[in-house]
Amino acid sequence: MSHAKTSYVCLPCRASYKQRCTGDHDRICPRCTQPLIHVGSAFAAPRRRDTDAWRTLSVLLHAGIRFHKSCCGGPGYRPRTMSEVRERMAYARTTGESFARALVRRSIP
């Protein structure tokens, strides 16, 4: 039986690494020696040249949103573009809902 792996991301390098899950999540980027961010096992990294996708990912990670598998498969809805993020930010401001909660909503009423 293989060991479970999870993803770690370095935002300055725009790099993603799959590593074994050992319990501690203190990892260092092999390129720039900055701390890696634990993003979860259901993460799919965007292409390194896709700056808009990495900007969107940065907003999600700084809001505390990760990509862990749920009981039904994937991590649920995550916005893929900055326009989707801006829509959800405006919704959160007008309704008073938390920013993190508004980001993972599938649709905005």
Side-chain angles (χ1 to χ4, degrees):
M1 185 163 174
S2 66
H3 294 283
K5 289 191 175 185
T6 188
S7 293
Y8 295 86
V9 168
C10 179
L11 292 174
C13 295
R14 292 189 211 153
S16 172
Y17 304 97
K18 284 241 185 217
Q19 297 179 357
R20 282 191 183 152
C21 188
T22 59
D24 69 327
H25 298 294
D26 298 329
R27 308 290 167 89
I28 302 295
C29 178
R31 296 173 134 201
C32 69
T33 67
Q34 295 293 317
L36 293 173
I37 301 169
H38 179 235
V39 293
S41 58
F43 176 72
R47 293 192 180 271
R48 187 169 283 140
R49 289 187 218 163
D50 191 352
T51 56
D52 188 46
W54 280 96
R55 192 175 302 125
T56 303
L57 177 63
S58 176
V59 170
L60 292 172
L61 295 177
H62 289 299
I65 297 169
R66 300 297 188 258
F67 298 82
H68 298 288
K69 290 181 181 175
S70 68
C71 63
C72 300
Y77 175 78
R78 302 292 187 261
R80 292 190 172 265
T81 64
M82 283 305 291
S83 64
E84 291 176 346
V85 168
R86 282 190 287 274
E87 287 174 3
R88 281 155 176 74
M89 285 173 60
Y91 175 78
R93 271 189 236 112
T94 58
T95 62
E97 185 174 36
S98 73
F99 183 52
R101 178 75 181 127
L103 281 172
V104 295
R105 278 184 167 273
R106 182 162 295 279
S107 63
I108 297 174

XYZ file of all heavy atoms in Angstrom:
859
model
N 0.838 -1.171 0.000
C 0.000 0.000 0.000
C 0.891 1.245 0.000
O 1.824 1.345 0.777
C -0.879 -0.013 1.250
C -1.866 1.083 1.283
S -3.093 0.640 2.515
C -4.023 2.094 2.512
N 0.588 2.195 -0.883
C 1.420 3.387 -0.990
C 1.051 4.407 0.082
O -0.057 4.418 0.598
C 1.261 4.011 -2.375
O -0.048 4.494 -2.518
N 2.007 5.266 0.403
C 1.778 6.305 1.390
C 1.053 7.477 0.744
O 1.301 7.815 -0.410
C 3.110 6.782 1.969
C 3.794 5.720 2.765
N 3.397 5.392 4.025
C 4.832 4.905 2.469
C 4.163 4.423 4.489
N 5.046 4.106 3.555
N 0.185 8.111 1.509
C -0.563 9.250 1.006
C 0.372 10.429 0.772
O 1.293 10.662 1.538
C -1.650 9.628 1.996
N 0.120 11.160 -0.305
C 0.903 12.357 -0.594
C -0.019 13.562 -0.587
O -1.209 13.457 -0.865
C 1.595 12.237 -1.946
C 2.717 11.234 -1.931
C 3.542 11.337 -3.169
C 4.728 10.405 -3.076
N 5.619 10.569 -4.207
N 0.543 14.693 -0.277
C -0.197 15.929 -0.237
C 0.632 17.000 -0.946
O 1.838 16.823 -1.142
C -0.532 16.318 1.220
O -1.412 17.427 1.210
C 0.693 16.603 2.030
N 0.001 18.097 -1.327
C 0.682 19.133 -2.096
C 1.122 20.295 -1.230
O 0.443 20.667 -0.266
C -0.243 19.666 -3.190
O -0.486 18.682 -4.144
N 2.255 20.855 -1.609
C 2.805 22.057 -0.995
C 3.113 23.037 -2.118
O 3.507 22.623 -3.214
C 4.088 21.741 -0.224
C 3.849 20.850 0.956
C 3.824 19.471 0.814
C 3.619 21.379 2.219
C 3.595 18.643 1.898
C 3.389 20.556 3.312
C 3.375 19.198 3.136
O 3.134 18.386 4.210
N 2.940 24.337 -1.847
C 3.096 25.358 -2.874
C 4.064 26.437 -2.408
O 4.045 26.836 -1.241
C 1.726 25.995 -3.207
C 1.872 27.240 -4.030
C 0.851 25.014 -3.920
N 4.881 26.912 -3.337
C 5.708 28.093 -3.119
C 5.163 29.172 -4.049
O 5.287 29.052 -5.280
C 7.172 27.807 -3.425
S 8.219 29.266 -3.202
N 4.549 30.211 -3.495
C 3.959 31.258 -4.317
C 5.004 32.106 -5.050
O 4.810 32.404 -6.227
C 3.041 32.146 -3.476
C 1.768 31.451 -2.985
C 0.990 32.361 -2.044
C 0.899 31.011 -4.135
N 6.128 32.503 -4.410
C 7.112 33.293 -5.154
C 7.703 32.548 -6.356
O 7.949 33.150 -7.404
C 8.207 33.590 -4.125
C 7.558 33.439 -2.806
C 6.488 32.401 -2.991
N 7.923 31.250 -6.234
C 8.487 30.451 -7.334
C 7.418 29.932 -8.292
O 7.737 29.410 -9.359
C 9.255 29.255 -6.775
S 10.700 29.700 -5.819
N 6.157 30.007 -7.878
C 5.038 29.405 -8.622
C 5.330 27.927 -8.873
O 5.266 27.436 -9.999
C 4.801 30.119 -9.944
C 4.303 31.501 -9.793
C 3.891 32.051 -11.124
N 4.095 33.479 -11.146
C 4.322 34.171 -12.223
N 4.380 33.585 -13.391
N 4.487 35.458 -12.142
N 5.623 27.228 -7.792
C 5.962 25.807 -7.884
C 5.114 25.014 -6.906
O 4.746 25.500 -5.843
C 7.437 25.604 -7.576
N 4.803 23.781 -7.297
C 4.023 22.878 -6.467
C 4.795 21.580 -6.308
O 5.424 21.101 -7.259
C 2.675 22.602 -7.133
O 1.980 21.600 -6.452
N 4.740 21.021 -5.093
C 5.457 19.784 -4.801
C 4.523 18.815 -4.087
O 3.839 19.195 -3.155
C 6.662 20.057 -3.890
C 7.613 21.071 -4.453
C 7.541 22.400 -4.067
C 8.567 20.698 -5.386
C 8.406 23.342 -4.597
C 9.447 21.632 -5.924
C 9.348 22.955 -5.514
O 10.211 23.879 -6.046
N 4.496 17.568 -4.549
C 3.758 16.511 -3.849
C 4.746 15.778 -2.960
O 5.786 15.319 -3.428
C 3.137 15.524 -4.829
C 1.920 16.053 -5.516
C 0.757 15.186 -5.179
C -0.440 15.655 -5.982
N -1.639 15.574 -5.246
N 4.403 15.691 -1.674
C 5.288 15.025 -0.731
C 4.466 14.154 0.199
O 3.270 14.354 0.342
C 6.087 16.057 0.061
C 6.985 16.889 -0.809
C 7.746 17.930 -0.023
O 7.564 18.080 1.171
N 8.604 18.663 -0.707
N 5.140 13.215 0.826
C 4.455 12.340 1.776
C 3.906 13.141 2.935
O 4.534 14.088 3.406
C 5.404 11.285 2.321
C 5.637 10.182 1.364
C 6.358 9.065 2.059
N 6.640 8.035 1.076
C 7.643 7.222 1.152
N 8.473 7.291 2.165
N 7.829 6.322 0.238
N 2.777 12.712 3.412
C 2.147 13.354 4.566
C 2.686 12.689 5.828
O 2.378 11.542 6.116
C 0.636 13.200 4.479
S -0.246 14.139 5.704
N 3.503 13.410 6.576
C 4.119 12.837 7.770
C 3.566 13.420 9.059
O 3.980 13.031 10.132
C 5.637 13.073 7.751
O 5.873 14.481 7.693
C 6.284 12.377 6.578
N 2.654 14.361 8.980
C 2.087 14.971 10.183
C 2.560 16.391 10.388
O 1.787 17.264 10.709
N 3.866 16.633 10.194
C 4.338 18.015 10.291
C 4.307 18.623 8.890
O 4.554 17.959 7.901
C 5.754 18.078 10.872
C 6.793 17.511 9.930
O 6.473 16.566 9.190
O 7.921 18.014 9.951
N 3.941 19.885 8.818
C 3.805 20.527 7.509
C 4.819 21.640 7.323
O 4.614 22.547 6.537
C 2.385 21.059 7.327
C 1.354 19.987 7.348
N 1.263 19.014 6.384
C 0.379 19.707 8.236
C 0.276 18.193 6.664
N -0.280 18.580 7.791
N 5.931 21.589 8.045
C 6.981 22.577 7.908
C 7.944 22.128 6.816
O 8.824 21.301 7.046
C 7.724 22.767 9.229
C 6.817 23.270 10.327
O 5.864 24.001 10.012
O 7.054 22.918 11.487
N 7.749 22.652 5.629
C 8.601 22.294 4.490
C 9.202 23.569 3.911
O 8.619 24.637 3.993
C 7.794 21.584 3.396
C 6.977 20.399 3.879
C 7.886 19.238 4.264
N 7.199 18.215 4.995
C 6.575 17.180 4.462
N 6.517 17.027 3.187
N 6.001 16.288 5.257
N 10.348 23.440 3.292
C 11.080 24.561 2.701
C 11.183 24.353 1.190
O 11.441 23.241 0.726
C 12.504 24.657 3.312
C 12.438 24.821 4.825
C 13.298 25.793 2.690
C 11.827 26.082 5.318
N 11.008 25.432 0.439
C 11.118 25.374 -1.022
C 12.567 25.090 -1.406
O 13.483 25.770 -0.946
C 10.659 26.695 -1.627
S 10.828 26.740 -3.434
N 12.792 24.097 -2.264
C 14.164 23.785 -2.680
C 14.770 24.852 -3.596
O 15.973 24.914 -3.757
C 14.035 22.450 -3.411
C 12.612 22.318 -3.754
C 11.825 23.142 -2.784
N 13.933 25.729 -4.175
C 14.434 26.766 -5.078
C 14.843 28.036 -4.331
O 15.912 28.579 -4.551
C 13.377 27.139 -6.103
C 13.021 26.016 -7.011
C 11.867 26.415 -7.878
N 12.171 26.040 -9.235
C 11.604 26.555 -10.277
N 10.703 27.482 -10.155
N 11.932 26.146 -11.483
N 13.948 28.542 -3.455
C 14.183 29.848 -2.828
C 14.340 29.778 -1.308
O 14.547 30.802 -0.673
C 13.057 30.810 -3.182
S 11.463 30.401 -2.444
N 14.188 28.616 -0.721
C 14.293 28.356 0.725
C 13.250 29.090 1.555
O 13.428 29.258 2.753
C 15.711 28.669 1.289
O 15.948 30.075 1.227
C 16.772 27.891 0.548
N 12.150 29.521 0.947
C 11.023 30.093 1.687
C 10.141 28.943 2.168
O 10.135 27.864 1.580
C 10.205 31.030 0.788
C 10.953 32.256 0.327
C 11.251 33.170 1.484
O 10.400 33.408 2.344
N 12.478 33.665 1.527
N 9.339 29.164 3.216
C 8.437 28.096 3.675
C 7.376 27.775 2.624
O 6.847 28.672 1.958
C 7.786 28.682 4.920
C 8.570 29.881 5.278
C 9.300 30.331 4.071
N 7.097 26.497 2.462
C 6.032 26.059 1.561
C 4.695 26.121 2.287
O 4.632 25.964 3.507
C 6.294 24.627 1.086
C 7.496 24.415 0.179
C 7.713 22.933 -0.062
C 7.321 25.151 -1.134
N 3.630 26.307 1.523
C 2.278 26.342 2.074
C 1.627 24.992 1.811
O 1.593 24.527 0.665
C 1.443 27.460 1.420
C 2.104 28.812 1.656
C 0.021 27.450 1.963
C 1.497 29.933 0.842
N 1.112 24.369 2.844
C 0.410 23.090 2.702
C -0.968 23.384 2.122
O -1.769 24.080 2.723
C 0.293 22.411 4.065
C -0.429 21.119 4.008
N -1.515 20.850 4.790
C -0.221 20.011 3.248
C -1.949 19.638 4.521
N -1.179 19.116 3.592
N -1.259 22.852 0.922
C -2.524 23.156 0.258
C -3.490 21.980 0.205
O -4.659 22.174 -0.092
C -2.298 23.715 -1.166
C -1.648 25.067 -1.104
C -1.488 22.778 -2.017
N -3.057 20.776 0.472
C -3.961 19.631 0.496
C -3.735 18.673 -0.652
O -3.044 18.971 -1.625
N -4.360 17.530 -0.545
C -4.124 16.450 -1.509
C -4.959 16.566 -2.778
O -4.682 15.894 -3.758
C -4.388 15.106 -0.850
O -5.714 15.063 -0.376
N -5.983 17.416 -2.796
C -6.832 17.547 -3.978
C -6.452 18.764 -4.813
O -7.239 19.273 -5.593
C -8.301 17.644 -3.558
N -5.226 19.235 -4.687
C -4.762 20.435 -5.381
C -4.204 20.102 -6.750
O -3.464 19.137 -6.916
C -3.681 21.130 -4.550
C -3.080 22.319 -5.209
C -3.800 23.487 -5.338
C -1.793 22.274 -5.706
C -3.245 24.596 -5.950
C -1.224 23.373 -6.314
C -1.954 24.538 -6.436
N -4.565 20.905 -7.738
C -3.994 20.797 -9.083
C -3.366 22.150 -9.406
O -4.063 23.164 -9.480
C -5.062 20.455 -10.101
N -2.073 22.174 -9.581
C -1.350 23.432 -9.781
C -1.590 23.997 -11.173
O -1.651 23.250 -12.155
C 0.140 23.199 -9.584
N -1.706 25.325 -11.272
C -1.784 25.945 -12.609
C -0.408 25.957 -13.264
O 0.613 25.710 -12.609
C -2.264 27.367 -12.304
C -1.921 27.623 -10.885
C -1.884 26.287 -10.200
N -0.371 26.245 -14.534
C 0.910 26.349 -15.233
C 1.699 27.526 -14.667
O 1.121 28.518 -14.254
C 0.699 26.546 -16.726
C 0.098 25.341 -17.390
C 0.191 25.494 -18.900
N -0.373 24.343 -19.553
C 0.314 23.244 -19.863
N 1.577 23.156 -19.565
N -0.268 22.239 -20.463
N 2.998 27.408 -14.670
C 3.857 28.436 -14.072
C 3.682 29.790 -14.760
O 3.752 30.837 -14.132
C 5.313 27.996 -14.144
C 6.233 28.935 -13.404
C 7.618 28.381 -13.235
N 7.590 27.401 -12.160
C 8.234 26.259 -12.178
N 8.961 25.928 -13.209
N 8.160 25.426 -11.174
N 3.413 29.807 -16.042
C 3.255 31.071 -16.782
C 1.888 31.721 -16.602
O 1.707 32.864 -16.991
C 3.464 30.831 -18.268
C 4.882 30.540 -18.611
C 5.028 30.488 -20.102
N 5.968 29.418 -20.423
C 6.081 28.885 -21.605
N 5.336 29.286 -22.590
N 6.952 27.947 -21.812
N 0.937 31.021 -16.043
C -0.423 31.541 -15.881
C -0.494 32.441 -14.643
O -0.899 32.029 -13.562
C -1.407 30.367 -15.765
C -2.848 30.804 -15.858
O -3.115 32.023 -15.868
O -3.719 29.913 -15.919
N -0.109 33.701 -14.808
C -0.025 34.625 -13.670
C -1.380 34.905 -13.050
O -1.483 35.070 -11.837
C 0.631 35.955 -14.078
O -0.090 36.516 -15.168
C 2.085 35.740 -14.446
N -2.438 34.960 -13.857
C -3.774 35.209 -13.316
C -4.208 34.071 -12.393
O -4.746 34.307 -11.315
C -4.790 35.390 -14.446
C -6.145 35.841 -13.934
O -6.187 36.772 -13.100
O -7.167 35.255 -14.347
N -3.949 32.839 -12.789
C -4.317 31.692 -11.950
C -3.514 31.680 -10.655
O -4.052 31.373 -9.587
C -4.113 30.388 -12.715
N -2.233 32.031 -10.708
C -1.418 32.071 -9.497
C -1.841 33.220 -8.588
O -1.792 33.114 -7.371
C 0.070 32.149 -9.835
C 0.603 30.795 -10.189
C 0.747 30.269 -11.427
C 1.015 29.780 -9.274
N 1.231 28.988 -11.347
C 1.413 28.664 -10.035
C 1.098 29.702 -7.894
C 1.880 27.490 -9.459
C 1.575 28.527 -7.311
C 1.956 27.442 -8.092
N -2.267 34.341 -9.171
C -2.784 35.454 -8.373
C -4.063 35.033 -7.657
O -4.241 35.297 -6.466
C -3.033 36.662 -9.268
C -3.293 37.926 -8.513
C -3.415 39.132 -9.433
N -2.214 39.310 -10.243
C -2.212 39.375 -11.579
N -3.331 39.282 -12.253
N -1.096 39.538 -12.236
N -4.937 34.346 -8.368
C -6.169 33.831 -7.768
C -5.850 32.839 -6.658
O -6.428 32.899 -5.572
C -7.046 33.155 -8.847
O -7.323 34.095 -9.875
C -8.336 32.641 -8.266
N -4.926 31.940 -6.906
C -4.509 30.963 -5.901
C -3.946 31.656 -4.665
O -4.234 31.263 -3.529
C -3.478 30.005 -6.495
C -2.896 28.972 -5.532
C -3.986 28.040 -5.024
C -1.787 28.200 -6.210
N -3.180 32.706 -4.865
C -2.610 33.459 -3.750
C -3.710 34.054 -2.873
O -3.633 33.990 -1.642
C -1.704 34.560 -4.289
O -1.221 35.355 -3.241
N -4.742 34.603 -3.489
C -5.867 35.163 -2.727
C -6.547 34.065 -1.912
O -6.852 34.251 -0.730
C -6.879 35.858 -3.668
C -8.152 36.228 -2.937
C -6.257 37.093 -4.302
N -6.773 32.921 -2.539
C -7.420 31.806 -1.836
C -6.589 31.329 -0.649
O -7.113 31.137 0.450
C -7.658 30.636 -2.797
C -8.681 30.846 -3.902
C -8.659 29.673 -4.865
C -10.057 31.032 -3.328
N -5.299 31.157 -0.860
C -4.443 30.657 0.215
C -4.315 31.660 1.357
O -4.316 31.277 2.528
C -3.064 30.291 -0.330
C -3.041 29.125 -1.321
C -1.635 28.891 -1.844
C -3.611 27.867 -0.707
N -4.237 32.940 1.029
C -4.148 33.958 2.080
C -5.463 34.109 2.838
O -5.465 34.592 3.970
C -3.684 35.289 1.509
C -2.237 35.283 1.107
N -1.206 35.055 1.992
C -1.655 35.446 -0.097
C -0.061 35.091 1.351
N -0.303 35.313 0.081
N -6.565 33.682 2.238
C -7.860 33.688 2.928
C -8.043 32.441 3.781
O -9.044 32.296 4.474
C -9.003 33.799 1.920
N -7.091 31.511 3.709
C -7.161 30.302 4.522
C -7.848 29.134 3.854
O -8.141 28.126 4.492
N -8.100 29.224 2.572
C -8.791 28.156 1.840
C -7.759 27.168 1.319
O -6.748 27.539 0.736
C -9.621 28.743 0.686
C -10.694 29.644 1.272
C -10.213 27.643 -0.166
C -11.406 30.473 0.262
N -8.026 25.890 1.543
C -7.127 24.834 1.109
C -7.879 23.842 0.224
O -9.078 23.964 0.013
C -6.523 24.108 2.322
C -5.710 25.021 3.239
C -4.504 25.598 2.528
N -3.619 26.314 3.410
C -3.564 27.640 3.514
N -4.392 28.389 2.825
N -2.694 28.222 4.314
N -7.204 22.836 -0.266
C -7.747 21.887 -1.230
C -7.692 20.462 -0.679
O -7.059 19.590 -1.258
C -6.966 21.984 -2.541
C -7.065 23.333 -3.200
C -6.250 24.370 -2.788
C -7.985 23.561 -4.195
C -6.331 25.613 -3.378
C -8.080 24.803 -4.795
C -7.257 25.840 -4.373
N -8.355 20.239 0.425
C -8.403 18.906 1.020
C -9.596 18.147 0.465
O -10.632 18.734 0.164
C -8.508 19.011 2.543
C -7.332 19.676 3.159
N -6.100 19.070 3.248
C -7.182 20.917 3.684
C -5.250 19.895 3.813
N -5.873 21.023 4.091
N -9.446 16.836 0.338
C -10.545 16.007 -0.154
C -11.634 15.930 0.900
O -11.368 15.844 2.091
C -10.050 14.595 -0.464
C -9.154 14.554 -1.655
C -8.714 13.143 -1.927
C -7.785 13.126 -3.122
N -7.237 11.818 -3.379
N -12.878 15.950 0.421
C -14.005 15.767 1.331
C -14.481 14.322 1.213
O -13.937 13.538 0.446
C -15.136 16.738 0.975
O -15.691 16.393 -0.278
N -15.526 13.977 1.921
C -16.018 12.601 1.884
C -16.576 12.231 0.511
O -16.650 11.073 0.164
C -17.077 12.400 2.966
S -18.543 13.415 2.723
N -16.951 13.210 -0.282
C -17.555 12.949 -1.592
C -16.574 13.080 -2.748
O -16.977 13.090 -3.891
C -18.724 13.893 -1.816
S -20.013 13.719 -0.585
N -15.305 13.239 -2.468
C -14.333 13.309 -3.550
C -13.406 14.489 -3.465
O -12.355 14.415 -2.868
N -13.780 15.605 -4.079
C -12.882 16.749 -4.182
C -13.084 17.781 -3.087
O -13.838 17.580 -2.142
N -12.414 18.915 -3.235
C -12.455 19.937 -2.197
C -13.672 20.849 -2.275
O -13.863 21.685 -1.414
C -11.180 20.734 -2.464
C -10.992 20.625 -3.938
C -11.456 19.236 -4.281
N -14.490 20.706 -3.307
C -15.619 21.601 -3.478
C -15.265 22.727 -4.435
O -14.210 22.731 -5.055
N -16.143 23.711 -4.531
C -15.937 24.803 -5.481
C -14.803 25.722 -5.031
O -14.691 26.065 -3.862
C -17.220 25.624 -5.638
C -17.012 26.820 -6.515
C -16.979 26.681 -7.894
C -16.784 28.076 -5.966
C -16.747 27.769 -8.711
C -16.556 29.169 -6.772
C -16.535 29.010 -8.140
O -16.301 30.095 -8.936
N -13.965 26.139 -5.970
C -12.942 27.150 -5.763
C -12.950 28.055 -6.996
O -12.982 27.553 -8.125
C -11.540 26.538 -5.619
C -11.387 25.547 -4.492
C -11.507 26.229 -3.138
N -11.212 25.341 -2.032
C -12.125 24.728 -1.294
N -13.394 24.882 -1.555
N -11.780 23.964 -0.279
N -12.922 29.394 -6.821
C -12.876 30.278 -7.990
C -11.583 30.085 -8.774
O -10.539 29.813 -8.197
C -12.950 31.681 -7.403
C -12.828 31.559 -5.946
C -12.962 30.129 -5.574
N -11.681 30.225 -10.090
C -10.513 30.009 -10.938
C -9.959 31.297 -11.547
O -8.851 31.300 -12.064
C -10.848 29.038 -12.070
C -11.100 27.644 -11.552
C -11.186 26.681 -12.719
N -11.233 25.319 -12.253
C -10.169 24.544 -12.138
N -8.994 24.989 -12.438
N -10.303 23.308 -11.701
N -10.740 32.382 -11.525
C -10.294 33.640 -12.121
C -10.428 34.773 -11.121
O -11.200 34.687 -10.160
C -11.117 33.982 -13.377
O -12.478 34.184 -12.985
C -11.024 32.889 -14.429
N -9.697 35.849 -11.386
C -9.785 37.012 -10.509
C -11.149 37.683 -10.606
O -11.610 38.266 -9.638
C -8.679 38.016 -10.843
C -7.323 37.620 -10.302
S -7.279 37.310 -8.520
C -7.514 38.939 -7.878
N -11.822 37.581 -11.736
C -13.162 38.176 -11.831
C -14.136 37.447 -10.904
O -14.985 38.088 -10.269
C -13.667 38.164 -13.271
O -13.819 36.847 -13.739
N -14.022 36.131 -10.787
C -14.853 35.386 -9.843
C -14.525 35.786 -8.402
O -15.418 35.907 -7.567
C -14.657 33.882 -10.014
C -15.216 33.326 -11.299
C -14.920 31.846 -11.475
O -14.066 31.306 -10.737
O -15.529 31.236 -12.353
N -13.243 36.002 -8.120
C -12.833 36.425 -6.777
C -13.409 37.798 -6.472
O -13.946 38.043 -5.389
C -11.291 36.430 -6.653
C -10.838 37.128 -5.384
C -10.763 35.017 -6.685
N -13.329 38.733 -7.435
C -13.869 40.082 -7.218
C -15.374 40.060 -6.988
O -15.888 40.791 -6.139
C -13.515 40.980 -8.399
C -12.077 41.458 -8.355
C -11.818 42.530 -9.395
N -11.763 42.006 -10.736
C -10.672 41.500 -11.315
N -9.546 41.438 -10.644
N -10.711 41.059 -12.542
N -16.097 39.220 -7.739
C -17.551 39.086 -7.530
C -17.846 38.634 -6.101
O -18.724 39.173 -5.437
C -18.141 38.046 -8.488
C -18.245 38.471 -9.912
C -18.703 37.319 -10.797
O -18.995 36.214 -10.272
O -18.768 37.523 -12.013
N -17.108 37.668 -5.633
C -17.338 37.131 -4.290
C -16.888 38.110 -3.206
O -17.490 38.172 -2.138
C -16.643 35.787 -4.149
C -17.466 34.705 -4.823
C -16.676 33.515 -5.260
N -17.543 32.497 -5.817
C -18.120 32.574 -7.003
N -17.946 33.620 -7.768
N -18.909 31.598 -7.431
N -15.871 38.910 -3.485
C -15.453 39.938 -2.536
C -16.549 40.998 -2.385
O -16.855 41.429 -1.270
C -14.152 40.604 -3.000
C -12.928 39.749 -2.798
S -11.428 40.433 -3.534
C -11.259 41.969 -2.708
N -17.137 41.397 -3.513
C -18.221 42.384 -3.473
C -19.420 41.816 -2.723
O -20.058 42.519 -1.923
C -18.614 42.792 -4.892
N -19.737 40.558 -2.965
C -20.844 39.908 -2.265
C -20.584 39.869 -0.758
O -21.472 40.157 0.048
C -21.048 38.491 -2.813
C -22.083 37.708 -2.068
C -23.442 37.931 -2.277
C -21.714 36.736 -1.134
C -24.396 37.207 -1.587
C -22.664 36.009 -0.448
C -23.999 36.247 -0.681
O -24.953 35.537 0.021
N -19.367 39.533 -0.365
C -19.021 39.463 1.062
C -19.136 40.839 1.707
O -19.616 40.968 2.839
C -17.611 38.912 1.235
N -18.719 41.897 0.994
C -18.815 43.253 1.547
C -20.262 43.683 1.744
O -20.588 44.297 2.743
C -18.107 44.243 0.631
C -16.663 44.406 0.966
C -16.036 45.549 0.185
N -14.908 44.996 -0.532
C -14.812 44.852 -1.850
N -15.761 45.281 -2.632
N -13.751 44.316 -2.382
N -21.123 43.360 0.783
C -22.513 43.813 0.876
C -23.339 43.008 1.873
O -24.245 43.557 2.485
C -23.212 43.773 -0.505
O -23.163 42.449 -1.017
C -22.568 44.737 -1.455
N -23.031 41.733 2.030
C -23.840 40.897 2.923
C -23.252 40.731 4.311
O -23.943 40.306 5.228
C -24.021 39.488 2.328
O -22.748 38.863 2.200
C -24.731 39.550 0.988
N -21.970 41.033 4.469
C -21.331 40.841 5.767
C -20.845 39.422 5.992
O -20.348 39.094 7.070
N -20.982 38.567 4.987
C -20.485 37.189 5.090
C -18.959 37.216 5.090
O -18.344 38.111 4.509
C -21.000 36.368 3.904
C -20.651 34.910 3.976
C -21.301 34.107 2.857
O -21.424 34.628 1.749
O -21.662 32.963 3.118
N -18.342 36.245 5.731
C -16.881 36.217 5.759
C -16.339 36.015 4.344
O -16.961 35.366 3.499
C -16.381 35.109 6.681
O -16.578 33.852 6.081
N -15.170 36.591 4.123
C -14.552 36.522 2.814
C -14.261 35.082 2.409
O -14.544 34.671 1.288
C -13.275 37.361 2.828
C -12.570 37.445 1.518
C -13.231 37.820 0.367
C -11.232 37.146 1.431
C -12.583 37.895 -0.845
C -10.559 37.216 0.222
C -11.242 37.593 -0.914
N -13.745 34.281 3.331
C -13.424 32.880 3.031
C -14.680 32.092 2.669
O -14.676 31.277 1.756
C -12.714 32.235 4.212
N -15.769 32.347 3.377
C -17.028 31.639 3.105
C -17.590 32.037 1.732
O -18.091 31.199 0.986
C -18.029 31.950 4.217
C -19.375 31.326 4.025
C -19.329 29.832 4.326
N -20.637 29.288 4.096
C -20.873 28.236 3.313
N -19.891 27.600 2.751
N -22.092 27.796 3.129
N -17.490 33.313 1.394
C -17.994 33.780 0.103
C -17.170 33.216 -1.051
O -17.704 32.957 -2.129
C -17.990 35.305 0.059
N -15.879 32.998 -0.827
C -15.029 32.468 -1.889
C -15.378 31.032 -2.263
O -15.201 30.635 -3.425
C -13.558 32.538 -1.483
C -12.893 33.896 -1.619
C -11.511 33.862 -0.993
C -12.812 34.333 -3.066
N -15.842 30.231 -1.326
C -16.124 28.825 -1.638
C -17.586 28.570 -2.020
O -17.966 27.438 -2.256
C -15.713 27.897 -0.467
C -14.212 27.953 -0.265
C -16.445 28.224 0.793
N -18.384 29.632 -2.101
C -19.773 29.464 -2.579
C -19.779 29.100 -4.058
O -19.079 29.706 -4.850
C -20.539 30.786 -2.447
C -21.070 31.070 -1.115
C -21.876 32.378 -1.196
N -22.649 32.529 -0.014
C -23.865 32.018 0.151
N -24.432 31.342 -0.814
N -24.497 32.177 1.280
N -20.591 28.134 -4.426
C -20.681 27.761 -5.833
C -21.320 28.865 -6.656
O -20.884 29.194 -7.744
C -21.466 26.464 -6.010
C -21.507 26.052 -7.463
C -21.859 24.622 -7.674
N -20.898 23.676 -7.154
C -19.766 23.312 -7.756
N -19.428 23.880 -8.872
N -18.975 22.436 -7.223
N -22.371 29.457 -6.119
C -23.034 30.557 -6.844
C -23.399 31.667 -5.858
O -23.605 31.411 -4.679
C -24.285 30.056 -7.555
O -25.219 29.595 -6.608
N -23.469 32.859 -6.399
C -23.829 34.007 -5.581
C -25.283 34.363 -5.888
O -25.646 34.528 -7.047
C -22.921 35.202 -5.909
C -21.481 34.845 -5.570
C -23.349 36.433 -5.150
C -20.497 35.882 -5.970
N -26.106 34.466 -4.832
C -27.529 34.792 -5.087
C -27.728 36.197 -5.624
O -26.940 37.032 -5.553
C -28.184 34.647 -3.723
C -27.128 34.375 -2.735
C -25.835 34.217 -3.450
